[in-house]
Amino acid sequence: MTTTHAVMKFGGTSVADPEAISRLIGIVKRRIPPSRAPAPVVVVSALAGVTDKLVEVTRLAEEGEGERAAAMLKALLERHVAVATAVTNDGRAALLTAVQREFDELIGLVHALAVLREVSPRSTDAVLAAGEVVSSMIVAAAFADRRVPSVWVDARKVLVTDAEHTGAAPDMIGTRERVQERLAPASAAGTVAVLGGFIGATSNGVTSTLGRGGSDYSAAIFGACLGVDEIQIWTDVDGMLTADPRIVPRPRVVPQLSFAEASELAYFGAKVLHPSTILPAVSKNIPVRILNARRPENPGTRITADGSTAEGQLTAIACKRDVTVIDITSTRMLMAHGFLRRLFEVFERFKTAVDVVTTSEVSVSVTVDDTRRLEAIIDNLRNFAEVSCEREMAIICAVGENFRADPTLFGRAVTALDRVPLRLVSQAASRRNITFVLRDADVPHAMMRLHETFF
Ligand code: ADP
Ligand code: ASP
Ligand code: MG
């Protein structure tokens, strides 16, 4: 038997309660090789719903609602104490002390923020990180209690990031060094290292996060630094599905897809994978597998450099809701050289990513989903063009390597949407996808139509 060295990431629902944690331990134990080494590395999210609650706590603190924030934290502490108590025996006292200590610190921090009514991105990270710190402590203690050699590793001491708080980028060189120091030896010695996803720290030791959904990314970063055979994303669905199951009923599982297809789908809204997860995997050519923690016997979805779907088919469709379309018109300037540079410089200056771009003789249309700096962007664009914008729009992205080989796919996709008012349509040079921009309200109908046509 060949042994697979894996990083195994478990999302919020896979650590939601004592039953989920027991399932997780069963899944990991079955993957520990008979010789014990190399042991898997386990990355966990905060317990289901906890990060949302902590976001709410920061909002309350900002509004000076210290008491309500404290009440929410008290309820969160109780939930963690209940789970910690249920999954341990021998290690219970030490675990409860550690959990209490983390919450004492958090409660103190939130109290101070509420007094100041000021929550910076840096403080937000300090608050949100608590979710992954305590969940990973609980899971590590649960392993130890079941006599699985394991160790809790503080992810903030391993994942080094820049200082872009709430959406930090990893410093791969710094992180690789720490991984070699703190993770590799444990794994080689047959000890399951358990650490929180999503969180890291700057080189000065200030807590940071990789952005919402970032635990997938953490797992891929650790996997690339360790050079594992597989990065496993354990979640609550059977794999990458042909469409978002919250929009299209009964989508199918995509058994395999390419890194490029997975990146497009993740970027355009397939929430099952954080959009950056694929980057570290590509750099080391490590397969990523998406698996269901409730049905571990299922094969899931395997994502590799060349894996793709059967001939003549689309791979999947994804959608990104609530985006804004900005139309920039300039009869005099558009065709002048330098115009597009000037235009995109504005987006760059305000650190706002543009997702879809289309141009015509006199106008350029772009979509953005981060509207925090929209007013400033529009003001600046108005210095040299007419600008209008439309909110409550959405992007649907149909993805498939077969677009390249089969020119009829494009026409079939457009025909499927013949009753839907389309605002923009674009097919990129990679010819791996088509993107449609349409009214957000039309998304369910349009997704359904595309899904019926292709799956
Ligand atoms: P986790 O907590 O495990 O990270 P997430 O909630 O972040 O889980 O991601 C899993 C969810 O992603 C699924 O429950 C599903 O509702 C949603 N999802 C959206 N699009 C897709 C897709 N194309 N394939 C699979 N899941 C999808
Ligand atoms: N707990 C974090 C979030 O909810 C990170 C993650 O689960 O991936 O965004
Ligand atoms: Mg997720």
Side-chain angles (χ1 to χ4, degrees):
M1 194 183 106
T2 54
T3 43
T4 309
H5 187 204
V7 169
M8 306 174 74
K9 177 263 171 175
F10 292 84
T13 49
S14 312
V15 290
D17 49 38
E19 295 71 48
I21 294 175
S22 294
R23 271 197 302 272
L24 177 162
I25 292 175
I27 291 170
V28 174
K29 271 172 82 174
R30 283 195 291 282
R31 279 162 183 79
I32 298 175
S35 59
R36 292 209 354 236
V41 170
V42 173
V43 175
V44 296
S45 291
L47 309 193
V50 166
T51 311
D52 287 339
K53 290 256 162 58
L54 292 172
V55 169
E56 178 67 9
V57 164
T58 59
R59 201 186 54 76
L60 289 170
E62 195 157 35
E63 290 168 1
E65 297 271 5
E67 273 175 31
R68 284 174 62 198
M72 279 191 80
L73 290 176
K74 184 163 169 278
L76 278 177
L77 169 61
E78 281 163 11
R79 176 171 168 204
H80 284 88
V81 166
V83 174
T85 304
V87 298
T88 51
N89 279 308
D90 302 351
R92 188 178 297 154
L95 175 61
L96 291 179
T97 306
V99 169
Q100 184 69 53
R101 193 178 342 102
E102 289 303 320
F103 268 90
D104 286 345
E105 225 175 85
L106 178 61
I107 290 164
L109 167 63
V110 170
H111 175 74
L113 297 176
V115 169
L116 294 170
R117 297 192 185 200
E118 187 182 283
V119 182
S120 63
R122 184 167 159 158
S123 330
T124 299
D125 278 352
V127 174
L128 299 197
E132 267 72 6
V133 170
V134 287
S135 69
S136 57
M137 285 175 163
I138 292 172
V139 171
F143 270 112
D145 232 76
R146 297 182 199 200
R147 307 280 175 270
V148 178
S150 62
V151 59
W152 177 71
V153 177
D154 187 343
R156 295 165 297 184
K157 301 247 156 61
V158 183
L159 209 166
V160 187
T161 73
D162 65 14
E164 284 293 326
H165 288 282
T166 73
D171 161 5
M172 290 303 283
I173 294 169
T175 303
R176 189 166 301 123
E177 269 172 28
R178 308 269 189 103
V179 164
Q180 288 314 325
E181 244 168 63
R182 292 163 198 248
L183 282 186
S187 190
T191 303
V192 176
V194 180
L195 56 175
F198 175 58
I199 61 175
T202 64
S203 54
N204 297 328
V206 180
T207 299
S208 56
T209 70
L210 302 175
R212 294 305 305 272
S215 294
D216 304 334
Y217 193 17
S218 298
I221 293 166
F222 297 140
C225 293
L226 285 164
V228 295
D229 307 312
E230 194 165 89
I231 295 160
Q232 299 176 352
I233 306 295
W234 291 86
T235 183
D236 60 353
V237 284
D238 282 329
M240 178 66 81
L241 304 172
T242 48
D244 188 333
R246 294 163 299 181
I247 300 176
V248 173
R250 289 180 299 283
R252 298 212 302 251
V253 178
V254 182
Q256 50 181 18
L257 65 163
S258 68
F259 284 138
E261 289 172 324
S263 288
E264 303 266 12
L265 289 166
Y267 187 77
F268 286 108
K271 188 188 169 220
V272 68
L273 214 55
H274 182 280
S276 304
T277 313
I278 296 301
L279 298 173
V282 169
S283 75
K284 287 289 184 76
N285 197 16
I286 301 171
V288 176
R289 200 187 272 278
I290 306 176
L291 295 142
N292 190 339
R294 284 178 181 274
R295 286 200 281 260
E297 63 291 348
N298 283 7
T301 295
R302 196 173 142 86
I303 308 169
T304 55
D306 48 10
S308 187
T309 322
E311 298 273 311
Q313 266 189 359
L314 275 191
T315 303
I317 356 175
C319 63
K320 197 161 172 173
R321 315 280 306 249
D322 197 23
V323 305
T324 298
V325 176
I326 307 172
D327 294 313
I328 302 133
T329 310
S330 169
T331 40
R332 284 174 301 120
M333 296 284 292
L334 192 69
M335 287 303 147
H337 65 83
F339 179 80
L340 289 176
R341 179 181 50 74
R342 233 176 130 185
L343 192 161
F344 285 114
E345 254 171 19
V346 174
F347 289 93
E348 193 191 336
R349 201 171 334 130
F350 293 100
K351 292 191 177 158
T352 297
V354 163
D355 291 330
V356 181
V357 183
T358 62
T359 62
S360 77
E361 176 74 18
V362 292
S363 71
V364 179
S365 300
V366 304
T367 69
V368 297
D369 87 295
D370 174 1
T371 52
R372 283 175 299 173
R373 301 169 197 93
L374 188 60
E375 266 179 46
I377 290 172
I378 292 175
D379 276 351
N380 275 266
L381 291 171
R382 288 214 165 111
N383 290 334
F384 57 92
E386 280 166 38
V387 185
S388 65
C389 74
E390 210 172 339
R391 294 173 189 263
E392 291 171 32
M393 305 294 285
I395 301 169
I396 290 185
C397 182
V399 173
E401 297 287 359
N402 292 326
F403 269 116
R404 231 176 317 210
D406 183 351
T408 66
L409 283 178
F410 186 90
R412 281 163 61 202
V414 176
T415 309
L417 299 181
D418 61 354
R419 299 276 167 79
V420 182
L422 298 175
R423 186 69 162 64
L424 311 172
V425 180
S426 127
Q427 182 169 38
S430 72
R431 288 199 289 138
R432 197 176 286 115
N433 72 37
I434 337 173
T435 26
F436 300 103
V437 177
L438 67 171
R439 284 195 312 242
D440 192 75
D442 292 328
V443 163
H445 172 68
M447 289 285 281
M448 232 72 107
R449 286 288 302 141
L450 280 171
H451 201 264
E452 274 164 20
T453 305
F454 288 102
F455 301 104

